[in-house]
Amino acid sequence: MANLKSLAKDTAIYGLSSIVARFINYWLVPIQTAKFNAAGGQYGIITNVYAYISLLIILLTYGMETTFFRFMSKEGENPQKVYSTTLRLVLMTSVIFAVVITLFLHPIAGAMGYSDHPEYVWVMFFTVAVDAFVAIPFAYLRYVHKPLKFASLKIFNISLNIILNLLYLIILPAMQINLFGIYEEGFKLDVVWVFYINMICSVATLLMLWKELKGIRFGFDKATCKRMLSYTWPLLVMGLAGQLNQAASQILFPYFYDGSVTEARAQLGIYGACIKIAMIMVMITQAFRYAYEPFVFSKSKEKDQKDTYAIAMKYYLIFTLLAFLVVIGYLDILRYLVGESYWEGLRVVPIVMAAEIMFGVFFNLSFWYKLTDRTIWGAYFSGLGAVVLIVVDILLIPRFSYMACAWAGFAAYAVSMVVSYFAGQKYYPINYPLKDIFFYVGITMVFFAGMHLANHNLPMWAALCLNTLIIVFFLAIVVKKDFPLKSLPVIGKYF
């Protein structure tokens, strides 16, 4: 129980920072979707480019965060050498990537469909090279249990991003100030400055980590590097395949959509804006991952670790299902996070959220092969999911537009999750509380059906009231079944 309390504490800090950061970041969505109309396709460009970026960050970190945690806690390894070697290795690959992109910028931009705007590609690819290197000192902060510094720097990065976006998109045009000549005649907005702002924020965050970067002075150990690369390459394959499940649809969409380039970007922008509402599930999963990954490796030698993993899985599902119901219940309010011209895409929200819950379960299940050094299995599972997603996208995008993207992600995560569970039970069996898990999933499906009917058949005020009652009822079930109030510290004695 003490272990779970420690995990809960770190998850709360990471989660709070992630919530605050995501809340701040959410303000970019209404601002950008208001300034970039859906029909213009500019937000579709942002969605498409960021999809490439999400894959590249996996490629350039190549599983070294997880590998770093594994080797820092491994017997016989020198933690200082491991950290310094990791820093130098990722720095070297990031620099090589930046040089290659510079040399072959125009062919790459043309292949991506941006031959007229290669600057989109250069700015964001340089930014991702910086972000990949920054990921290692951030991992070090997690290792040394400094969640407050980790959280403050993440919030700093996003806060700076939102401030600069406000300046460029709203404040400077309103004041008729063409600072450094960044606007064309009539204060015309250009999405490239959204990318420039990201680059500025990434470089500023790198400078704020100068103390952690001093760890690079302990040198580069070739033997350690070889062992780490042997461990990490399956994680790279797994990470790329896993990220394909999130990004492939946004990358493939312009190539397979049955319409003009402008229309394809417009439809992709609608999808990209609306899934931002579903990103609360990504936020919860990410917060849990930040705390859970170092926690698992540090507790891997304890006798009761399997029981701890099983209980953590159940609690993860309870909180994510609650988040799912909250978002669906108040979707009529949350829709104002995006511009009105994007509202037609709100139907993807429950599908994408359900997919993200399954991804979180898949992440929880992944530790059986990480702890047994069978990381190649993760590549198999994620690769299988990526194949499912790509096939569904190619077959259905021409007919169903962005709805195909939502269902493709759902199918991909479902397949990866189920296959990983059955393989894990063979090689690293854990007695998960399946009865409780299926109970909570079942009642969530029933409550979702009730909310869906209310949202489409009742006045907004009535639907919100009914949905609130459903959420309270779900909480009451959780409290009665798994979180008795009498167990709470200090006030528990009154129940």
Side-chain angles (χ1 to χ4, degrees), residues 48-312:
N48 181 245
V49 171
Y50 277 110
Y52 283 102
I53 295 307
S54 66
L55 280 177
L56 286 172
I57 194 69
I58 300 295
L59 179 65
L60 292 177
T61 53
Y62 42 95
M64 289 305 291
E65 291 173 279
T66 299
T67 303
F68 168 77
F69 289 123
R70 177 62 172 160
F71 278 75
M72 289 291 276
S73 59
K74 203 171 185 178
E75 285 188 25
E77 299 290 350
N78 183 328
Q80 290 181 334
K81 284 286 186 183
V82 169
Y83 180 45
S84 181
T85 299
T86 307
L87 276 174
R88 292 184 179 220
L89 185 61
V90 177
L91 175 61
M92 178 183 67
T93 51
S94 295
V95 170
I96 291 173
F97 173 79
V99 171
V100 170
I101 291 301
T102 302
L103 293 175
F104 300 97
L105 177 60
H106 290 283
I108 294 171
M112 293 173 59
Y114 299 111
S115 55
D116 293 338
H117 295 281
E119 67 273 16
Y120 295 171
V121 177
W122 184 86
V123 174
M124 287 310 295
F125 283 12
F126 175 82
T127 303
V128 79
V130 175
D131 288 342
F133 179 58
V134 167
I136 304 306
F138 269 122
Y140 179 76
L141 289 176
R142 291 160 59 196
Y143 173 76
V144 296
H145 298 292
K146 290 186 177 180
L148 291 177
K149 183 169 184 178
F150 178 99
S152 62
L153 287 176
K154 290 288 185 179
I155 293 174
F156 163 78
N157 180 285
I158 295 177
S159 298
L160 181 61
N161 197 333
I162 190 73
I163 290 170
L164 294 178
N165 267 273
L166 282 169
L167 280 171
Y168 175 70
L169 295 173
I170 296 178
I171 297 174
L172 293 179
M175 298 177 66
Q176 296 289 297
I177 299 176
N178 193 357
L179 191 65
F180 305 124
I182 60 177
Y183 301 101
E184 296 180 14
E185 186 177 351
F187 284 86
K188 183 179 178 181
L189 301 176
D190 190 338
V191 294
V192 72
W193 282 98
V194 174
F195 303 146
Y196 276 125
I197 288 169
N198 257 353
M199 182 178 70
I200 293 169
C201 295
S202 294
V203 172
T205 303
L206 173 64
L207 297 176
M208 298 287 284
L209 286 162
W210 66 273
K211 286 186 178 179
E212 285 68 34
L213 293 175
K214 289 181 179 179
I216 204 169
R217 69 183 184 274
F218 294 110
F220 182 86
D221 187 81
K222 292 183 179 180
T224 301
C225 176
K226 186 176 180 180
R227 290 193 298 273
M228 294 178 76
L229 289 177
S230 177
Y231 180 88
T232 199
W233 76 262
L235 295 178
L236 168 61
V237 178
M238 179 183 67
L240 286 173
Q243 191 59 41
L244 274 173
N245 292 338
Q246 295 188 358
S249 294
Q250 292 95 307
I251 293 173
L252 293 172
F253 190 87
Y255 296 105
F256 292 96
Y257 179 76
D258 189 16
S260 67
V261 173
T262 300
E263 188 180 351
R265 289 176 177 174
Q267 292 294 298
L268 181 58
I270 292 171
Y271 176 70
C274 289
I275 63 174
K276 293 292 187 182
I277 297 175
M279 287 301 103
I280 187 173
M281 204 58 66
V282 177
M283 174 178 64
I284 294 172
T285 301
Q286 185 184 59
F288 188 81
R289 173 179 173 267
Y290 282 151
Y292 197 49
E293 194 165 48
F295 170 83
V296 166
F297 285 120
S298 66
K299 304 301 178 185
S300 60
K301 297 178 183 178
E302 297 185 5
K303 293 182 179 180
D304 64 344
Q305 81 274 19
K306 288 188 177 182
D307 292 336
T308 302
Y309 303 157
I311 296 171

Side-chain angles (χ1 to χ4, degrees), residues 29-37 339 342:
V29 180
I31 293 169
Q32 292 176 350
T33 54
K35 291 296 180 179
F36 300 125
N37 189 274
Y342 295 81

